[in-house]
Amino acid sequence: MPSVMVHASKILSEYGEAQSELIGKAVVLTDGKAGTVENVWLDELHGLRISIKGHDGRWPVSTIKLVEN
């Protein structure tokens, strides 16, 4: 398999893992927003972004301060 395909496959695999680890989990963001992760997106400019139930918008995963165990 060409190296480009290997890299793309790894990215999609990691994206799938991030979705399964975050969707449905309670999180607290660095700005104080808290709630349950509804969805995870792969944004070409910002990387992984999440939406939180009850809050409008999407935030980078880097803003997650705490995640439910």
Side-chain angles (χ1 to χ4, degrees):
M1 186 182 315
S3 65
V4 171
M5 295 296 288
V6 171
H7 291 300
S9 180
K10 287 180 184 179
I11 290 168
L12 292 174
S13 175
E14 291 294 324
Y15 172 65
E17 284 185 43
Q19 282 184 311
S20 64
E21 288 179 17
L22 290 172
I23 292 177
K25 296 284 179 120
V27 296
V28 177
L29 302 182
T30 55
D31 66 0
K33 287 181 182 67
T36 304
V37 176
E38 284 188 307
N39 207 344
V40 176
W41 287 272
L42 183 58
D43 182 325
E44 64 188 37
L45 297 175
H46 303 100
L48 288 178
R49 297 179 74 80
I50 60 169
S51 64
I52 298 174
K53 189 176 230 171
H55 296 282
D56 290 332
R58 296 179 184 176
W59 294 270
V61 294
S62 62
T63 62
I64 295 174
K65 186 175 182 179
L66 297 170
V67 177
E68 163 189 50
N69 287 331

